Amino acid sequence: MNHPSDTIGVESWLKAHPPLPASFFRRPTLELAQALLGKIVVHIAPEGVAAGRIVETEAYLGPHDKAAHSYGGRMTPRTRIMYGPPGYSYVYKIYGMYDCLNVTAGPEGEPQAVLIRALEPVFGETLMHERRRRPKQRKLLTAGPGRLTQALGITTAHYGLPLFVPPLYIACGDDVPPERIVRGKRIGIDYAEEARDYLWRFWIHDHPFVSVLPKQNRSV
DNA sequence: CCAAAGATCGTCT
DNA sequence: GACGATCTTTGGA
């Protein structure tokens, strides 16, 4: 299967989408979760380059957030990277079979992160299609945290990498204006008591690659 | 279209 | 030893 984006030279595409600076990540986590919308996740792998625009994120705010892996200040080999500086990859395995990509956030010592929940394919779609075992619906390539990591070839082997240098980085893309950002409750954390109601999920309004469309929406 | 169930293993208790 | 910041498949309406 061929795709128009594959005909663009890899080198010229990469040159047009350089990494954002480390300073980009240095802002309050709820702001970062929104600032990441429209930016592009790029992975340069041996088998090729794949990239997607971020259209959905969730913020996890550390020791006081019952839905966060770092709730209560838990410090384990898995959560360690969240205690470091912002802009690093926190990749974890979920349900034994899927990998989820997070961007560490907040200043050093504050174990916070932003989960990347959905992308819109922008480069290397043929490669993504292969990695995803050729789904029938294009949306199934990258709509969902487990799907997008599989499409981009991201695994727990990429744990702890800086996301402002190759081979895995966040590239400049669009700034999404506030009026196009919608917020709602986070997905799959019903056990988290009061934290289940926090509106810490953000997505681009009406975007076709958003993973789940909830009933209770609210503009930012 | 939706709900239910199974898959499968790293991580923490 | 239990469970999950998920996804796929299946079966019924």
Side-chain angles (χ1 to χ4, degrees):
Chain A
M1 179 164 201
N2 221 356
H3 191 271
S5 75
D6 299 328
T7 64
I8 301 170
V10 179
E11 297 305 326
S12 60
W13 190 89
L14 289 175
K15 198 163 183 177
H17 298 87
L20 289 162
S23 59
F24 171 82
F25 303 97
R26 218 154 45 228
R27 66 179 90 198
T29 302
L30 288 174
E31 287 180 30
L32 180 63
Q34 294 168 77
L36 282 168
L37 295 174
K39 305 304 182 290
I40 300 175
V41 181
V42 182
H43 184 210
I44 305 174
E47 65 272 24
V49 173
R53 187 184 321 279
I54 299 170
V55 301
E56 179 185 352
T57 61
E58 281 179 4
Y60 287 86
L61 295 208
H64 305 294
D65 176 5
K66 286 181 179 164
H69 292 159
S70 53
Y71 173 64
R74 281 197 299 269
M75 169 69 138
T76 68
R78 182 175 68 149
T79 61
R80 196 197 85 255
I81 195 67
M82 281 196 277
Y83 289 81
Y88 288 72
S89 69
Y90 168 38
V91 184
Y92 66 89
K93 178 82 74 183
I94 187 66
Y95 295 99
M97 24 169 77
Y98 301 105
D99 297 296
C100 294
L101 172 65
N102 296 246
V103 180
T104 63
E108 205 156 345
E110 303 272 324
Q112 309 181 347
V114 177
L115 171 65
I116 309 298
R117 283 196 53 90
L119 303 176
E120 169 193 356
V122 299
F123 192 90
E125 187 161 335
T126 300
L127 176 57
M128 293 192 225
H129 200 254
E130 295 296 317
R131 285 185 174 134
R132 288 280 300 143
R133 309 283 303 281
R134 314 179 213 285
K136 299 183 189 78
Q137 314 269 347
R138 184 161 180 260
K139 174 172 177 174
L140 297 179
L141 278 181
T142 52
R147 292 174 181 144
L148 70 91
T149 52
Q150 194 173 43
L152 293 205
I154 297 167
T155 70
T156 51
H158 299 90
Y159 179 95
L161 296 180
L163 293 173
F164 38 87
V165 292
L168 177 62
Y169 59 90
I170 311 290
C172 60
D174 305 327
D175 281 330
V176 179
E179 63 269 21
R180 291 188 48 223
I181 298 177
V182 188
R183 72 190 294 172
K185 298 178 184 179
R186 294 172 292 177
I187 303 293
I189 53 153
D190 287 351
Y191 59 85
E193 300 177 28
E194 78 281 354
R196 62 184 282 171
D197 295 323
Y198 299 165
L199 302 177
W200 289 352
R201 174 174 178 239
F202 302 92
W203 65 96
I204 299 178
H205 179 62
D206 256 358
H207 197 287
F209 279 85
V210 168
S211 64
V212 184
L213 295 172
K215 291 134 192 163
Q216 76 302 344
N217 290 356
R218 192 181 110 180
S219 291
V220 172

